């Protein structure tokens, strides 16, 4: 059974998967990985289906040790894995022999990284998901963030791809293949520009405020977390004076508070809200949002709902083709 021991957990490290679906009507957030693209690619790199539980590290300054020989992969822009001060490449399978000490060095280009293990991390499911929602203390490891001393093990069920990768890479030392997954191909070239679709209350806001929203820079506040990002920028004023009854919101919803500030909701966001919604982030750009950190400057660009759907469908088709290509190349070359 593949196992690691956490020596240093870092700022905020939790077990996450693709989220807790089907419970919004009971007030339970979706949660899950903030950057689902990075989490899925880390999983695919070790032969998982893409939905197994991963560790979400916020920034670096964390460390763990392999208690057994283990097959890992990491993805995301928050940290760089190092063994004996030697960087390990992301987005590809890594064979780590027993006893290896791995340190996560902070990567200034992003915020979150994801560590996948062959088979996925084995923690109990809560409401159909292994994702940690710390506010309600459910999911993950005892419903909390990871701590130094925690032992984590992988699930015992492995895919044929995982078994083949482990067979090829197993050595007495760290080993990995020359190939990797080009995660950047799945991301917009303009990393600080987020595409949005106008939301239900978009027409509630004054013309100059809409222009500012779509042209001015906004800065991610230090008060941001997994629930949402407070955005500092020009105030957004509305000319519709009536109040909004509490209504549905989701990750990617951009609300406007009473003082005109913007709040971009993220994975652990509430299920309903009373602030008017000016926009919804296109699903393909949520991975960009997940990597924003306090002080980052972002811009918003309007696209149509149809365009957002086409981008999402193309994105999912490419990920499906990637999974098929990995399986075909590995299993037919045995």
């Amino acid at each position: 059974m593949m196992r690691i021991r956490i020596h240093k957990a870092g700022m905020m490290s939790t077990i996450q998967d693709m989220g807790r679906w089907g419970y919004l009507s009971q007030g339970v957030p979706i949660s899950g990985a903030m950057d689902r693209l990075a989490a899925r690619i880390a999983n695919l790199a070790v032969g998982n289906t893409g939905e197994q539980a991963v560790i979400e590290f916020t920034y670096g300054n964390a460390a763990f040790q392999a208690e057994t020989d283990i097959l890992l992969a990491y993805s995301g822009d928050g940290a760089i894995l190092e063994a004996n001060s030697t960087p390990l490449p992301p987005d590809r399978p890594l064979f780590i022999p027993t006893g290896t000490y791995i340190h996560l060095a902070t990567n200034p280009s992003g915020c979150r990284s994801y560590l996948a293990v062959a088979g996925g991390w084995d923690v109990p499911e809560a409401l159909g998901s292994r994702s940690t929602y710390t506010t309600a203390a459910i999911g993950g490891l005892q419903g909390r963030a990871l701590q130094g001393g925690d032992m984590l093990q992988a699930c015992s069920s492995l895919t044929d791809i995982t078994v083949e990768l482990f067979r090829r890479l197993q050595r007495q030392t760290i080993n990995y293949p020359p190939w990797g997954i080009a995660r950047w191909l799945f991301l917009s070239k303009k990393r600080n520009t987020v595409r949005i679709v106008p939301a239900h209350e978009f027409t509630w806001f004054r013309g100059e405020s809409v222009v500012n929203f779509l042209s001015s820079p906004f800065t991610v506040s230090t008060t941001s977390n997994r629930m949402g990002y407070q955005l500092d920028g020009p105030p957004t004023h509305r000319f519709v004076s009536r109040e909004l009854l509490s209504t549905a919101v989701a990750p990617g919803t951009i609300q406007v508070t009473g003082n005109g500030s913007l709040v971009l909701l993220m994975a652990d966001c509430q299920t309903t809200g009373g602030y008017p919604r000016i926009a919804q982030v296109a699903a393909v750009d949520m991975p960009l949002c997940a990597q924003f950190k306090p002080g980052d400057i972002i811009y918003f660009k309007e696209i149509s709902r149809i365009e957002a759907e086409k981008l999402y469908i193309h994105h999912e088709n490419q990920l499906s083709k990637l999974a098929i290509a990995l399986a075909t190349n590995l299993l037919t070359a045995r």
Side-chain angles (χ1 to χ4, degrees), residues 241-262:
S241 59
R242 68 178 182 273
E243 293 302 318
L244 180 70
L245 293 176
S246 191
T247 191
V249 295
T253 299
I254 302 176
Q255 296 178 300
V256 182
T257 66
N259 65 3
S261 297
L262 300 182

Side-chain angles (χ1 to χ4, degrees), residues 311-325:
L311 288 169
Y312 175 76
I313 291 170
H314 176 73
H315 182 270
E316 291 301 306
N317 283 340
Q318 293 300 107
L319 280 172
S320 295
K321 290 178 181 178
L322 170 64
I324 293 170

Side-chain angles (χ1 to χ4, degrees), residues 39-247:
R40 291 168 75 179
I41 285 180
N43 267 322
L44 290 174
V46 292
N48 294 340
T49 63
E51 299 179 354
Q52 280 87 347
V54 296
I55 302 176
E56 178 181 273
F57 290 100
T58 305
Y59 303 114
N61 199 27
F64 63 88
Q65 189 169 23
E67 295 286 306
T68 64
D69 287 355
I70 195 165
L71 185 66
L72 301 170
Y74 79 99
S75 186
D77 298 323
I80 299 171
L81 267 63
E82 297 180 346
N84 299 321
S85 300
T86 301
L88 301 175
D91 305 321
R92 71 189 66 194
L94 305 170
F95 173 79
I96 308 295
T98 304
T100 305
Y101 186 87
I102 303 292
H103 172 252
L104 279 77
T106 297
N107 182 355
S109 64
C111 180
R112 293 176 176 86
S113 297
Y114 296 84
L115 184 70
V117 64
W121 298 109
D122 188 12
V123 296
E125 287 191 357
L127 301 178
S129 172
R130 292 183 168 89
S131 288
T132 310
Y133 179 46
T134 57
T135 303
I138 62 173
L141 187 63
Q142 302 171 13
R144 60 168 172 81
L146 299 180
Q147 302 171 357
D150 285 341
M151 182 82 77
L152 295 172
Q153 68 179 28
C155 297
S156 58
S157 57
L158 303 178
T159 66
D160 291 343
I161 303 171
T162 292
V163 172
E164 178 65 15
L165 282 170
F166 194 87
R167 183 190 69 81
R168 291 190 189 187
L169 296 176
Q170 189 174 23
R171 299 286 189 277
Q172 297 298 315
T173 59
I174 292 173
N175 191 29
Y176 47 84
W179 56 264
I181 299 172
R183 180 173 61 94
W184 58 272
L185 290 176
F186 294 89
L187 297 169
S188 170
K189 293 181 180 179
K190 295 183 178 180
R191 297 291 183 90
N192 67 340
T193 299
V194 175
R195 291 166 288 191
I196 59 91
V197 176
H200 288 273
E201 290 77 48
F202 186 80
T203 57
W204 284 25
F205 300 95
R206 297 177 183 174
E208 65 270 22
S209 290
V210 172
V211 170
N212 286 335
F213 173 65
L214 295 173
S215 61
S216 299
F218 290 85
T219 304
V220 179
S221 166
T222 55
T223 58
S224 302
N225 53 33
R226 277 182 51 90
M227 184 175 179
Y229 298 165
Q230 183 85 31
L231 303 180
D232 296 331
T236 304
H237 301 293
R238 54 181 169 134
F239 62 83
V240 174
S241 59
R242 68 178 182 273
E243 293 302 318
L244 180 70
L245 293 176
S246 191
T247 191

